[in-house]
Amino acid sequence: MRVYRNEPEMHKAIQSVLEQTYTNFKYYILVNDKTMEAVRKYQNQDNRIVMIQGKEGEGFRTYAKYIAKENDYVTTIDADDWYVNTYIEELLKYAETYQLDIAACGNFFTDIRGNIIGVRQQIELKWTRGETGTILGHVYAFFRTIWGKLLKSQVLLLYDDSRLPKLELYGGYGGDTLFMFNLLYDAERIGILDKVLYCYRVSETGGTYELREGRLDSDELLFDFVEKTLGHLGAISEEAEKFLYVVYGEAITDTTRLLLSKPMREIERVH
């Protein structure tokens, strides 16, 4: 977990990790000068916490291989989200039982105050990477985020960043999706557990609502990368390809709506 702003929500996130029913884990928290002392108080109470000095803009992907060297599985949590207290126990049992490289779960959506406003749940499903291109419509919503996943360390240690487009081309937007689909090169078996174990807090101040450099090109870039990856690893069905066009058509709509709503000179908007 990265904690670069000392927000009240982070305390709920930290407590949800420390109160897990499965207890044999290390808890890595990326901090900066603003948050180090607040996290140190927790570290003094629980020696499972390992603090790492991080930089704003850096997160899970930057440190994944370092963490993977010391652990069998790795998972992550946003600082304003929280786990159900059986999150690790149930995902770990599921991953080990079916020898999964990636195990996902369902999630609640909450508003900024923590009230549940929605849920994403699916019947239990397991597949191999080569099948992803045929069942994409059924698994895409689960598979495009890093959070709510248990990842086998071996897959992270084999991870090859060189396959990814340069950051400046997409401004970081859609980075989770690029990361997860790039994992498919080394993850053989994937599964979704039909349990809702992760709580995701919806915030209208996140990167999705920003018009950063690369945002206007990111939708097409994501489409091309996902389609290319699935085509390389196995057949992508006609149905799945149509689904991708729908997904990224909606993404272009969101980007256009954002462009129209941002205060700027009209000549800049037209450009």
Side-chain angles (χ1 to χ4, degrees):
M1 185 175 84
R2 56 181 175 177
V3 180
Y4 296 145
R5 292 182 297 275
N6 193 3
E7 298 176 347
E9 293 84 2
M10 79 175 191
H11 300 287
K12 184 167 186 175
I14 292 172
Q15 285 299 142
S16 79
V17 177
L18 299 180
E19 293 172 0
Q20 288 293 298
T21 54
Y22 181 87
T23 60
N24 183 24
F25 60 83
K26 288 185 181 179
Y27 183 12
Y28 299 85
I29 303 181
L30 308 181
V31 299
N32 58 13
D33 292 340
K34 299 175 186 174
T35 58
M36 185 177 296
E37 287 309 310
V39 174
R40 194 184 305 281
K41 291 178 182 178
Y42 285 103
Q43 187 183 44
N44 290 338
Q45 298 168 15
D46 197 315
N47 60 14
R48 292 175 298 180
I49 294 177
V50 179
M51 278 202 302
I52 300 175
Q53 183 80 26
K55 289 195 302 186
E56 194 104 23
E58 290 182 335
F60 175 75
R61 293 183 295 276
T62 306
Y63 296 91
K65 286 193 176 184
Y66 163 73
I67 294 170
K69 289 177 182 177
E70 301 184 348
N71 304 276
D72 297 324
Y73 294 88
V74 176
T75 189
T76 185
I77 181 173
D78 288 348
D80 59 347
D81 298 344
W82 67 94
Y83 292 148
V84 172
N85 69 342
T86 57
Y87 172 83
I88 297 177
E89 180 181 2
E90 297 201 57
L91 274 185
L92 183 60
K93 181 179 179 181
Y94 184 58
E96 290 182 334
T97 300
Y98 297 102
Q99 298 182 311
L100 302 175
D101 296 313
I102 304 173
C105 65
N107 67 275
F108 291 112
F109 293 102
T110 79
D111 62 20
I112 196 66
R113 293 175 298 277
N115 302 311
I116 294 174
I117 57 175
V119 62
R120 178 185 286 153
Q121 188 171 8
Q122 181 172 311
I123 58 171
E124 194 268 348
L125 183 66
K126 297 180 289 294
W127 71 98
T128 62
R129 62 184 171 200
E131 296 172 311
T132 309
T134 59
I135 64 169
L136 187 67
H138 302 288
V139 302
Y140 182 82
F142 283 87
F143 200 67
R144 60 181 296 204
T145 62
I146 295 177
W147 49 261
K149 309 283 187 302
L150 193 66
L151 308 175
K152 198 159 191 177
S153 287
Q154 186 62 26
V155 174
L156 291 172
L157 292 172
L158 293 171
Y159 191 84
D160 184 1
D161 287 317
S162 68
R163 292 188 288 255
L164 296 174
K166 295 188 184 321
L167 180 64
E168 57 266 25
L169 295 179
Y170 64 99
Y173 180 74
D176 278 17
T177 304
L178 292 171
F179 180 86
M180 290 304 300
F181 276 90
N182 198 27
L183 276 180
L184 285 175
Y185 283 87
D186 302 300
E188 178 59 34
R189 293 181 55 78
I190 308 108
I192 298 172
L193 179 63
D194 61 342
K195 297 281 186 73
V196 181
L197 302 172
Y198 191 97
C199 300
Y200 176 80
R201 196 185 304 257
V202 178
S203 170
E204 294 190 2
T205 60
T208 302
Y209 303 95
E210 297 176 0
L211 196 62
R212 297 192 299 258
E213 187 72 27
R215 172 67 187 262
L216 298 178
D217 299 313
S218 64
D219 300 322
E220 184 178 3
L221 187 148
L222 281 166
F223 175 92
D224 290 342
F225 183 83
V226 172
E227 186 180 46
K228 177 183 175 182
T229 299
L230 295 176
H232 176 78
L233 297 174
I236 177 169
S237 68
E238 184 178 348
E239 180 184 357
E241 190 167 38
K242 287 179 179 177
F243 173 81
L244 273 182
Y245 275 107
V246 172
V247 168
Y248 291 112
E250 290 181 351
I252 290 169
T253 301
D254 289 341
T255 300
T256 306
R257 187 179 293 115
L258 181 64
L259 177 64
L260 293 173
S261 68
K262 288 295 177 184
M264 62 176 69
R265 294 166 55 218
E266 286 305 312
I267 190 67
E268 295 173 336
R269 200 188 314 277
V270 170
H271 176 74

